[in-house]
Amino acid sequence: MAAASAFAITPHKVSVCVLLQMYALPTQATPPFSSVSQHNRLGLYILSLTKSYDDILEPKLEDLISQLREIGGSLGPWLIDHLTSRVSSLSSPDDLFTFFSEMRGILGGSDSVVIEDNQVILDPNSILGMFLRRCVLAFNVLSFEGVCHLLTNIGIYCKEVLSNCMPYELHRLDGSSNDLESLSECENMDLENFVFGKVNEEIEERKEATERVSFHLHATQAICGLVEDVEVVTDPRSKHHDKGTEDCPHVHRPGTESQDVDPYGEVFLRTNWQVQGYLTEQADAIEKHGGSVSFNTFELILRQIKKLAPELHRVHYLHYLNSLYHDDYFAAVENLHCYFDYSAGIEGFDFVPPSGSNNSARYEIALLCLGMMHFYFGHPKQALLVLTEAVRISQVQSNDSCLAYTLAAICNLSSEIGSSITAGILGTSYSPVTSMGSSVSVAQQLFVLLKESLKRAESLKLKRLVASNHLAMAKFDLMHVQRPLLSFGPKASMRLKTCPVNVCKELRLCSHLISEFASETSTVATDGAFSTAWLKNLTKPMGSLVLTQENESGENFHALQFCAQSSSIPRSVLQILGSSYLLRASAWETYGSAPLARINALVYATCFTDSSSSSDTALVHAKLIQHLAAFQGYKEAFSALKVAEERFLSVSRSVLLVLKLQLLHERALHRAHLKLAQQVCDELGVLASSVMGVDMELKREASLRHARTLLAAKQFSEAAAVAHSLFCMCYKFNMQVENATILLLLAEIHKKSGNAVLGLPYALASLSFCQSFNLDLLKASATLTLAELWLSLGSNHAKRALTLIHGALPMILGHGGLELRARARIAESKCYLSDPSYSVFEDSEVVLDPLRQASDELQVLEYHELAAEGFYLMAIIFDKLGKLEEREEAAASFKKHVMALENPQDEDPLLNLL
């Protein structure tokens, strides 16, 4: 077993050298390459073999043969035959010495080498040139025992493939087949206790032993052959793990991409560069897909990597990530400690340690990771305590980079958990905040921390952190009004409003990161990703079809090259850019622009889902489904939700589950199915339970839905009590945007209870909140409610109500959903009908046209109560106009909706979704 940190010559590397010889000396080919593109394909394949990190183990000869069939086209049989015959002809130490001496001839810089016609001279400093130089050097430093051991491994490497060759292929190898007797003579010189003549017997014995192993963790025989010190027992839960793994094949298992590990041969790791790339890719995969990755299968893979390469301490970090995303707190803590105990935190972090620092004492980085872990598990107090300690240690150690990251983490934590927990903790360990005094609010402390974190990140040129801080500033500007940090002197008039211009400015500054990522691009990430994608594409039908076509122009090859090439932009950069579009969508939702929110959500879903986490991708799908429900009805929304649930594994508190409950509740209220609505409220209450960790947004949503259910049941006092309690909670946790919605709900409760005068202050207060936070669509909805309240006070206020509605109609019709538009049209018609100066006989269409549109929209939503009101008004108007047929039709529709209200369907098929 070769160590991952050492570059050892192996049978696979010998095969790659043979391919390099064929590539560099095309005139020796019998047949020669038929086109330049065919020759280039072979070179690209060899380059991919040296760069790809789709596995940690070197491929077997049979894998190279299958891939050569894909890329070779008509030349494939000759390439395979030449490779197998050349490798199998290496039967003595002299043969190996002669082979590597010949390999020096294809390297440039040697004056004594005679250059043949059409020979390709490899640049010694190129990727392939460096690989060849390392192979020659690794062979030169081998002892005689090492050379003999290499010959033995080459014999095993070739034996099984040659035994499966067709008879017409074997005759070409008769004169150059592996001389087992000569190999045995070399190996029997008391240098190794191995007799190659008994290879077949040993193979059969080990195969039988391997087949007797009962393995139930969805791992192939590849890993099974590697496990010698792990006792595997039958687990009745294995079927569950199998299903999860099959549904989400996100983890690349070592040795299972296109091969099975040879249980009787020696296992060879790829180069250290490739193994590190593989580990980085697995870390990205588990961070992206989270709990959808099978826990046991991934743990087994990590255990084998630790056994094969114990010096790769990053494996402990992958153990930590696997435990973290599967909510195993104790295992996560243990593995995080192991990672920093063994590696001192020097593997896997982007920022550079300060000059003169002791890499063995990266205590502040360990504290930063520990704080973020507590935050993930819902321990905000412990997270803040750990992070403030990390700030202190970073200052003592003069680790400015870690300090910048820690400040950013504290800002993120503070903005997420609100003021009740951060009060008394923020400002105790950081001097700029402490010097401001206790009169400064937590929001203002957070603003100072954000500015300080951004300033440090810019001074240290941490571009990703700068972009993240711009995102945090945009989120802060979105949710907080602008206030002066200090109040003194004469009090001047001041408009306390949020600033959408600042939000757009911060988001635009974040997007500038894409033009600056080149200096931070990792060679492992770009070259390795391209090579890995190129090799994987060989197994796809499109890749086989395109590659085997002989096209002189090379157009098909370039098309495949474009398809296989992964993005050269680092995944972390794409994540930040995707987050900016996700925040754009949320900002336009808050401001009330449905088209812009939808466009930004579609941009994210189209361009950034491959680099984003499953939770963020599910969130953007939820936004698009909500848009469908509001503008096209529940049928389209539930169809899209079904597709999204098949794509994402729903966990107990996933965003898709909450969305499903929201849609079910809205539809139940519209259909007057209060029993189902109460069941949904109970489900939301369970999700918002403190036993599973407090989520303030979920808790607010559950209480809001409960109040609306009580309102639909005409329990006005109970609904008002729940809404008032919810308002106090949101005010305590500084959730001011949500308070505007709650105040509007209180106004609605008083309107339906017949106390319009009591509802007016709540509607006006909601308007004030909407103006402060630029909630334009909610402001239009509050204006509509205010108009309805005025109208309910009597016909004398009809013109005032109509003026308010006409002022809000452009926003409602341009950005509102089906329900809001229908409400506005019905309210407008009622204003006209209540106005004594209006005559139906003079202009009936001014009320009939809005009522027809509202009725059509409400039938799509199955909103029986409001639809019945619309048809009732239409029947009255038709009766006054003497249109009896239209009156009877409207009356029949009115009766149908009233009966649906009085007799809701108990056997709703959507009950099965709960």
Side-chain angles (χ1 to χ4, degrees):
M1 181 177 65
S5 59
F7 187 93
I9 190 68
T10 61
H12 169 69
K13 293 185 178 69
V14 172
S15 296
V16 176
C17 289
V18 172
L19 293 174
L20 268 174
Q21 193 175 42
M22 287 189 283
Y23 171 75
L25 299 172
T27 56
Q28 295 182 358
T30 62
F33 293 100
S34 60
S35 64
V36 175
S37 63
Q38 196 177 54
H39 187 239
N40 290 340
R41 283 202 295 272
L42 178 61
L44 183 58
Y45 171 64
I46 299 171
L47 180 64
S48 299
L49 286 178
T50 63
K51 284 291 185 181
S52 65
Y53 48 69
D54 56 322
D55 197 357
I56 63 169
L57 303 179
E58 291 184 343
K60 298 167 64 175
L61 182 57
E62 60 188 25
D63 302 317
L64 297 185
I65 290 175
S66 63
Q67 291 171 351
L68 285 173
R69 288 195 183 99
E70 295 289 340
I71 70 161
S74 60
L75 198 61
W78 181 87
L79 292 173
I80 295 170
D81 182 67
H82 189 81
L83 173 65
T84 53
S85 61
R86 188 71 180 93
V87 175
S88 60
S89 66
L90 301 174
S91 58
S92 67
D94 290 338
D95 293 336
L96 282 175
F97 181 80
T98 302
F99 172 74
F100 281 103
S101 298
E102 294 173 354
M103 296 305 298
R104 295 192 190 96
I106 63 177
L107 283 173
S110 178
D111 298 334
S112 60
V113 176
V114 178
I115 300 178
E116 303 180 9
D117 294 337
N118 298 326
Q119 180 177 349
V120 177
I121 299 298
L122 296 180
D123 184 356
N125 295 321
S126 65
I127 296 175
L128 294 181
M130 289 290 293
F131 175 81
L132 184 56
R133 289 168 58 194
R134 296 183 72 185
C135 289
V136 173
L137 178 61
F139 175 76
N140 289 339
V141 299
L142 283 180
S143 62
F144 182 72
E145 294 89 340
V147 174
C148 294
H149 191 66
L150 175 60
L151 286 171
T152 298
N153 289 326
I154 291 175
I156 299 175
Y157 178 74
C158 299
K159 183 174 180 59
E160 187 172 351
V161 174
L162 295 182
S163 64
N164 295 329
C165 285
M166 296 298 294
Y168 71 89
E169 292 175 341
L170 282 175
H171 79 276
R172 300 183 62 100
L173 308 178
D174 288 341
S176 58
S177 60
N178 224 7
D179 191 348
L180 300 186
E181 294 181 2
S182 60
L183 283 176
S184 299
E185 291 177 2
C186 295
E187 291 286 344
N188 287 333
M189 299 175 63
D190 293 332
L191 302 174
E192 300 239 0
N193 188 15
F194 180 82
V195 179
F196 190 71
K198 297 182 180 180
V199 166
N200 290 330
E201 297 179 6
E202 188 174 351
I203 288 174
E204 295 300 328
E205 291 176 1
R206 296 200 183 187
K207 278 186 176 180
E208 293 175 2
T210 304
E211 291 171 357
R212 289 195 296 266
V213 178
S214 178
F215 202 72
H216 299 277
L217 291 179
H218 197 72
T220 62
Q221 190 177 3
I223 300 177
C224 182
L226 289 174
V227 183
E228 296 179 359
D229 58 344
V230 180
E231 182 179 359
V232 182
V233 296
T234 303
D235 189 351
R237 299 172 296 176
S238 60
K239 294 183 180 179
H240 171 74
H241 297 309
D242 290 356
K243 183 177 180 181
T245 309
E246 292 174 359
D247 291 343
C248 295
H250 305 307
V251 176
H252 302 147
R253 305 184 187 94
T256 62
E257 284 297 320
S258 59
Q259 65 174 356
D260 288 330
V261 174
D262 192 351
Y264 47 83
E266 187 168 2
V267 175
F268 297 103
L269 288 178
R270 297 195 180 190
T271 63
N272 183 51
W273 188 91
Q274 290 174 299
V275 174
Q276 291 287 359
Y278 174 84
L279 294 177
T280 302
E281 185 184 41
Q282 298 312 301
D284 289 343
I286 197 170
E287 287 178 348
K288 174 178 171 60
H289 301 290
S292 61
V293 177
S294 175
F295 179 82
N296 286 346
T297 301
F298 194 61
E299 281 294 309
L300 185 61
I301 294 171
L302 295 177
R303 204 175 304 164
Q304 307 322 309
I305 297 176
K306 187 189 297 183
K307 176 183 175 182
L308 293 171
E311 69 279 1
L312 293 178
H313 305 305
R314 187 167 174 78
V315 174
H316 294 291
Y317 187 74
L318 291 174
H319 276 296
Y320 158 70
L321 287 179
N322 196 29
S323 303
L324 181 74
Y325 286 100
H326 286 88
D327 299 327
D328 190 343
Y329 172 76
F330 296 103
V333 172
E334 179 183 358
N335 286 297
L336 185 63
H337 288 172
C338 287
Y339 172 66
F340 282 95
D341 288 342
Y342 284 103
S343 71
I346 59 175
E347 292 183 6
F349 289 94
D350 293 333
F351 53 83
V352 181
S355 58
S357 65
N358 185 6
N359 287 339
S360 63
R362 306 295 294 280
Y363 182 48
E364 61 272 21
I365 301 178
L367 288 172
L368 173 58
C369 291
L370 184 61
M372 296 308 298
M373 187 201 70
H374 279 301
F375 180 35
Y376 180 87
F377 282 110
H379 308 151
K381 289 185 178 180
Q382 294 92 322
L384 273 176
L385 290 174
V386 172
L387 290 175
T388 50
E389 178 66 12
V391 170
R392 187 185 68 83
I393 299 298
S394 298
Q395 290 175 329
V396 172
Q397 298 291 334
S398 298
N399 194 338
D400 294 331
S401 298
C402 185
L403 178 59
Y405 277 94
T406 307
L407 288 177
I410 292 176
C411 294
N412 182 39
L413 179 60
S414 302
S415 62
E416 291 290 335
I417 64 179
S419 61
S420 63
I421 297 177
T422 56
I425 296 180
L426 280 179
T428 58
S429 299
Y430 195 60
S431 56
V433 178
T434 306
S435 62
M436 293 169 60
S438 59
S439 62
V440 179
S441 66
V442 174
Q444 290 169 322
Q445 293 180 17
L446 177 58
F447 178 76
V448 173
L449 282 175
L450 283 170
K451 285 292 187 181
E452 181 64 24
S453 179
L454 179 60
K455 179 181 177 182
R456 285 184 174 273
E458 289 176 340
S459 64
L460 296 170
K461 298 182 179 179
L462 302 173
K463 297 174 183 177
R464 291 174 175 83
L465 187 57
V466 169
S468 298
N469 282 327
H470 281 303
L471 278 181
M473 287 296 299
K475 187 175 181 181
F476 180 87
D477 290 333
L478 178 65
M479 297 298 178
H480 295 84
V481 297
Q482 292 183 335
R483 301 175 185 270
L485 291 177
L486 299 175
S487 299
F488 58 89
K491 295 184 178 180
S493 61
M494 178 177 55
R495 298 179 62 190
L496 297 179
K497 295 186 66 174
T498 59
C499 187
V501 174
N502 286 347
V503 176
C504 295
K505 175 185 175 183
E506 297 292 345
L507 289 173
R508 185 176 293 274
L509 289 174
C510 173
S511 300
H512 290 170
L513 175 67
I514 196 170
S515 62
E516 300 176 352
F517 74 91
S519 61
E520 297 188 32
T521 302
S522 170
T523 306
V524 177
T526 53
D527 295 348
F530 172 80
S531 300
T532 303
W534 196 88
L535 285 179
K536 286 181 181 178
N537 196 74
L538 293 178
T539 61
K540 298 180 181 179
M542 183 195 70
S544 302
L545 178 64
V546 176
L547 277 173
T548 54
Q549 292 178 352
E550 299 298 332
N551 189 344
E552 294 295 333
S553 64
E555 294 178 359
N556 290 334
F557 169 66
H558 293 305
L560 171 69
Q561 189 176 13
F562 176 77
C563 294
Q565 186 175 9
S566 60
S567 175
S568 60
I569 304 175
R571 181 175 176 267
S572 59
V573 174
L574 289 176
Q575 277 185 316
I576 296 174
L577 292 176
S579 298
S580 70
Y581 280 95
L582 195 57
L583 185 56
R584 279 187 176 95
S586 300
W588 287 120
E589 278 182 1
T590 302
Y591 295 143
S593 178
L596 288 175
R598 179 173 176 267
I599 288 173
N600 283 280
L602 285 174
V603 169
Y604 181 94
T606 305
C607 302
F608 299 102
T609 52
D610 291 338
S611 59
S612 302
S613 64
S614 298
S615 59
D616 286 345
T617 307
L619 176 61
V620 80
H621 278 73
K623 290 181 181 295
L624 293 172
I625 293 171
Q626 283 176 327
H627 187 274
L628 280 178
F631 289 88
Q632 298 185 29
Y634 298 110
K635 183 178 179 181
E636 297 291 336
F638 278 111
S639 299
L641 180 61
K642 183 179 179 181
V643 175
E645 286 182 325
E646 291 175 354
R647 178 176 178 182
F648 304 100
L649 293 177
S650 294
V651 293
S652 60
R653 306 182 68 187
S654 71
V655 64
L656 292 180
L657 177 58
V658 175
L659 173 64
K660 180 197 292 185
L661 295 176
Q662 289 173 336
L663 295 179
L664 286 173
H665 186 262
E666 290 287 342
R667 185 174 181 273
L669 290 183
H670 288 164
R671 294 165 56 91
H673 198 165
L674 300 182
K675 180 181 177 180
L676 176 59
Q678 187 58 50
Q679 284 182 265
V680 173
C681 285
D682 294 339
E683 292 287 338
L684 282 171
V686 171
L687 292 180
S689 172
S690 59
V691 175
M692 304 179 67
V694 178
D695 187 336
M696 297 307 301
E697 289 292 334
L698 197 54
K699 190 175 181 180
R700 180 197 63 84
E701 183 69 19
S703 299
L704 187 64
R705 297 283 171 178
H706 185 208
R708 292 186 58 192
T709 304
L710 293 173
L711 174 61
K714 301 186 185 303
Q715 300 178 18
F716 302 114
S717 58
E718 292 85 350
V722 173
H724 183 268
S725 174
L726 180 59
F727 178 85
C728 295
M729 184 194 75
C730 292
Y731 184 82
K732 176 182 177 181
F733 288 95
N734 201 31
M735 302 167 69
Q736 304 300 336
V737 174
E738 289 77 5
N739 275 338
T741 305
I742 300 168
L743 289 170
L744 193 57
L745 175 62
L746 285 167
E748 191 77 18
I749 293 172
H750 288 294
K751 182 190 75 173
K752 291 192 174 182
S753 65
N755 298 319
V757 175
L758 295 178
L760 286 173
Y762 291 107
L764 292 171
S766 179
L767 274 174
S768 177
F769 271 95
C770 292
Q771 289 175 350
S772 296
F773 290 94
N774 293 283
L775 311 177
D776 295 339
L777 185 59
L778 191 59
K779 177 185 175 182
S781 180
T783 303
L784 176 61
T785 301
L786 184 63
E788 292 171 338
L789 287 169
W790 281 116
L791 185 61
S792 62
L793 291 176
S795 59
N796 296 332
H797 302 282
K799 289 187 176 180
R800 175 184 291 179
L802 186 61
T803 302
L804 289 172
I805 292 174
H806 284 167
L809 268 181
M811 187 68 192
I812 292 175
L813 297 181
H815 300 275
L818 296 176
E819 180 182 352
L820 185 59
R821 294 203 300 256
R823 274 185 58 203
R825 288 182 172 123
I826 291 177
E828 182 188 17
S829 299
K830 289 170 68 176
C831 288
Y832 279 115
L833 294 173
S834 301
D835 188 358
S837 63
Y838 171 75
S839 174
V840 175
F841 302 99
E842 294 179 359
D843 190 4
S844 61
E845 289 301 319
V846 75
V847 290
L848 283 176
D849 186 59
L851 288 175
R852 290 192 189 99
Q853 296 183 48
S855 300
D856 293 339
E857 292 169 341
L858 292 171
Q859 289 187 91
V860 172
L861 291 175
E862 300 179 272
Y863 196 168
H864 296 312
E865 181 180 2
L866 208 55
E869 184 177 1
F871 282 114
Y872 175 76
L873 294 174
M874 290 173 65
I876 291 177
I877 296 170
F878 285 131
D879 183 65
K880 289 183 178 181
L881 295 174
K883 297 181 178 181
L884 301 182
E885 185 177 350
E886 289 86 349
R887 183 196 68 183
E888 293 301 321
E889 184 180 350
S893 298
F894 166 75
K895 182 180 179 180
K896 181 184 71 172
H897 287 287
V898 169
M899 291 182 64
L901 279 174
E902 295 176 350
N903 303 296
Q905 296 181 3
D906 292 330
E907 296 182 0
D908 193 337
L910 291 180
L911 281 172
N912 298 326
L913 295 176
L914 283 176

